[in-house]
PDB file of all heavy atoms in Angstrom:
ATOM      1  N   LYS A  34      96.613  79.269  91.314  1.00  0.00           N
ATOM      2  CA  LYS A  34      97.150  79.529  89.902  1.00  0.00           C
ATOM      3  C   LYS A  34      98.465  78.942  89.813  1.00  0.00           C
ATOM      4  O   LYS A  34      98.817  78.362  88.684  1.00  0.00           O
ATOM      5  CB  LYS A  34      97.188  81.021  89.642  1.00  0.00           C
ATOM      6  CG  LYS A  34      97.524  81.377  88.210  1.00  0.00           C
ATOM      7  CD  LYS A  34      97.389  82.860  87.934  1.00  0.00           C
ATOM      8  CE  LYS A  34      97.665  83.217  86.459  1.00  0.00           C
ATOM      9  NZ  LYS A  34      97.736  84.640  86.172  1.00  0.00           N
ATOM     10  N   TYR A  35      99.269  78.855  90.818  1.00  0.00           N
ATOM     11  CA  TYR A  35     100.683  78.356  90.631  1.00  0.00           C
ATOM     12  C   TYR A  35     100.864  77.076  91.470  1.00  0.00           C
ATOM     13  O   TYR A  35     102.071  76.793  91.756  1.00  0.00           O
ATOM     14  CB  TYR A  35     101.668  79.485  91.018  1.00  0.00           C
ATOM     15  CG  TYR A  35     101.544  80.703  90.194  1.00  0.00           C
ATOM     16  CD1 TYR A  35     101.037  81.790  90.698  1.00  0.00           C
ATOM     17  CD2 TYR A  35     102.004  80.647  88.774  1.00  0.00           C
ATOM     18  CE1 TYR A  35     100.861  82.990  89.870  1.00  0.00           C
ATOM     19  CE2 TYR A  35     101.865  81.784  88.098  1.00  0.00           C
ATOM     20  CZ  TYR A  35     101.314  82.978  88.532  1.00  0.00           C
ATOM     21  OH  TYR A  35     101.136  84.033  87.767  1.00  0.00           O
ATOM     22  N   TYR A  36      99.839  76.250  91.653  1.00  0.00           N
ATOM     23  CA  TYR A  36      99.988  75.119  92.562  1.00  0.00           C
ATOM     24  C   TYR A  36     100.996  74.142  91.989  1.00  0.00           C
ATOM     25  O   TYR A  36     101.862  73.547  92.679  1.00  0.00           O
ATOM     26  CB  TYR A  36      98.591  74.476  92.728  1.00  0.00           C
ATOM     27  CG  TYR A  36      98.609  73.262  93.531  1.00  0.00           C
ATOM     28  CD1 TYR A  36      99.020  73.246  94.871  1.00  0.00           C
ATOM     29  CD2 TYR A  36      98.430  72.022  92.951  1.00  0.00           C
ATOM     30  CE1 TYR A  36      99.010  72.089  95.561  1.00  0.00           C
ATOM     31  CE2 TYR A  36      98.465  70.776  93.701  1.00  0.00           C
ATOM     32  CZ  TYR A  36      98.751  70.780  94.946  1.00  0.00           C
ATOM     33  OH  TYR A  36      98.767  69.711  95.772  1.00  0.00           O
ATOM     34  N   VAL A  37     100.895  73.923  90.684  1.00  0.00           N
ATOM     35  CA  VAL A  37     101.734  72.979  90.055  1.00  0.00           C
ATOM     36  C   VAL A  37     103.287  73.454  90.168  1.00  0.00           C
ATOM     37  O   VAL A  37     104.039  72.612  90.517  1.00  0.00           O
ATOM     38  CB  VAL A  37     101.411  72.805  88.463  1.00  0.00           C
ATOM     39  CG1 VAL A  37     102.347  71.984  87.858  1.00  0.00           C
ATOM     40  CG2 VAL A  37      99.975  72.265  88.450  1.00  0.00           C
ATOM     41  N   TYR A  38     103.523  74.740  89.987  1.00  0.00           N
ATOM     42  CA  TYR A  38     104.794  75.203  90.103  1.00  0.00           C
ATOM     43  C   TYR A  38     105.370  75.086  91.537  1.00  0.00           C
ATOM     44  O   TYR A  38     106.444  74.836  91.786  1.00  0.00           O
ATOM     45  CB  TYR A  38     104.946  76.671  89.648  1.00  0.00           C
ATOM     46  CG  TYR A  38     104.720  76.789  88.207  1.00  0.00           C
ATOM     47  CD1 TYR A  38     103.435  77.141  87.730  1.00  0.00           C
ATOM     48  CD2 TYR A  38     105.638  76.582  87.279  1.00  0.00           C
ATOM     49  CE1 TYR A  38     103.125  77.397  86.391  1.00  0.00           C
ATOM     50  CE2 TYR A  38     105.400  76.852  85.906  1.00  0.00           C
ATOM     51  CZ  TYR A  38     104.137  77.181  85.496  1.00  0.00           C
ATOM     52  OH  TYR A  38     103.863  77.283  84.098  1.00  0.00           O
ATOM     53  N   ILE A  39     104.470  75.348  92.482  1.00  0.00           N
ATOM     54  CA  ILE A  39     104.713  75.439  93.961  1.00  0.00           C
ATOM     55  C   ILE A  39     105.163  73.949  94.383  1.00  0.00           C
ATOM     56  O   ILE A  39     106.148  73.839  95.055  1.00  0.00           O
ATOM     57  CB  ILE A  39     103.638  75.914  94.731  1.00  0.00           C
ATOM     58  CG1 ILE A  39     103.434  77.356  94.495  1.00  0.00           C
ATOM     59  CG2 ILE A  39     103.955  75.710  96.243  1.00  0.00           C
ATOM     60  CD1 ILE A  39     102.124  77.966  95.058  1.00  0.00           C
ATOM     61  N   GLN A  40     104.506  72.925  93.786  1.00  0.00           N
ATOM     62  CA  GLN A  40     104.886  71.531  94.113  1.00  0.00           C
ATOM     63  C   GLN A  40     106.217  71.238  93.665  1.00  0.00           C
ATOM     64  O   GLN A  40     106.905  70.353  94.361  1.00  0.00           O
ATOM     65  CB  GLN A  40     103.768  70.612  93.405  1.00  0.00           C
ATOM     66  CG  GLN A  40     102.502  70.530  94.217  1.00  0.00           C
ATOM     67  CD  GLN A  40     101.700  69.428  93.480  1.00  0.00           C
ATOM     68  OE1 GLN A  40     101.521  69.413  92.284  1.00  0.00           O
ATOM     69  NE2 GLN A  40     101.171  68.527  94.317  1.00  0.00           N
ATOM     70  N   LYS A  41     106.682  72.039  92.652  1.00  0.00           N
ATOM     71  CA  LYS A  41     108.038  71.674  92.165  1.00  0.00           C
ATOM     72  C   LYS A  41     109.071  72.604  92.778  1.00  0.00           C
ATOM     73  O   LYS A  41     110.325  72.475  92.366  1.00  0.00           O
ATOM     74  CB  LYS A  41     108.126  71.885  90.539  1.00  0.00           C
ATOM     75  CG  LYS A  41     107.162  71.054  89.839  1.00  0.00           C
ATOM     76  CD  LYS A  41     107.155  71.311  88.338  1.00  0.00           C
ATOM     77  CE  LYS A  41     106.209  70.433  87.603  1.00  0.00           C
ATOM     78  NZ  LYS A  41     106.123  70.886  86.106  1.00  0.00           N
ATOM     79  N   GLY A  42     108.672  73.362  93.633  1.00  0.00           N
ATOM     80  CA  GLY A  42     109.666  74.230  94.355  1.00  0.00           C
ATOM     81  C   GLY A  42     109.838  75.470  93.724  1.00  0.00           C
ATOM     82  O   GLY A  42     110.707  76.512  94.051  1.00  0.00           O
ATOM     83  N   GLN A  43     109.011  75.860  92.587  1.00  0.00           N
ATOM     84  CA  GLN A  43     109.252  77.203  91.914  1.00  0.00           C
ATOM     85  C   GLN A  43     107.961  78.061  92.437  1.00  0.00           C
ATOM     86  O   GLN A  43     106.782  77.843  91.949  1.00  0.00           O
ATOM     87  CB  GLN A  43     108.938  76.854  90.490  1.00  0.00           C
ATOM     88  CG  GLN A  43     110.006  75.954  89.818  1.00  0.00           C
ATOM     89  CD  GLN A  43     109.717  75.570  88.274  1.00  0.00           C
ATOM     90  OE1 GLN A  43     108.889  76.082  87.706  1.00  0.00           O
ATOM     91  NE2 GLN A  43     110.454  74.597  87.911  1.00  0.00           N
ATOM     92  N   TYR A  44     108.407  78.969  93.280  1.00  0.00           N
ATOM     93  CA  TYR A  44     107.360  79.672  94.042  1.00  0.00           C
ATOM     94  C   TYR A  44     106.722  80.783  93.386  1.00  0.00           C
ATOM     95  O   TYR A  44     105.895  81.432  94.061  1.00  0.00           O
ATOM     96  CB  TYR A  44     107.838  79.883  95.480  1.00  0.00           C
ATOM     97  CG  TYR A  44     108.141  78.728  96.249  1.00  0.00           C
ATOM     98  CD1 TYR A  44     109.514  78.378  96.493  1.00  0.00           C
ATOM     99  CD2 TYR A  44     107.218  77.907  96.721  1.00  0.00           C
ATOM    100  CE1 TYR A  44     109.793  77.231  97.293  1.00  0.00           C
ATOM    101  CE2 TYR A  44     107.465  76.729  97.434  1.00  0.00           C
ATOM    102  CZ  TYR A  44     108.735  76.373  97.680  1.00  0.00           C
ATOM    103  OH  TYR A  44     109.137  75.310  98.439  1.00  0.00           O
TER     104      TYR A  44
END
Side-chain angles (χ1 to χ4, degrees):
K34 188 172 181 181
Y35 300 106
Y36 178 71
V37 174
Y38 295 96
I39 293 169
Q40 281 186 313
K41 297 175 182 177
Q43 301 173 12
Y44 295 107

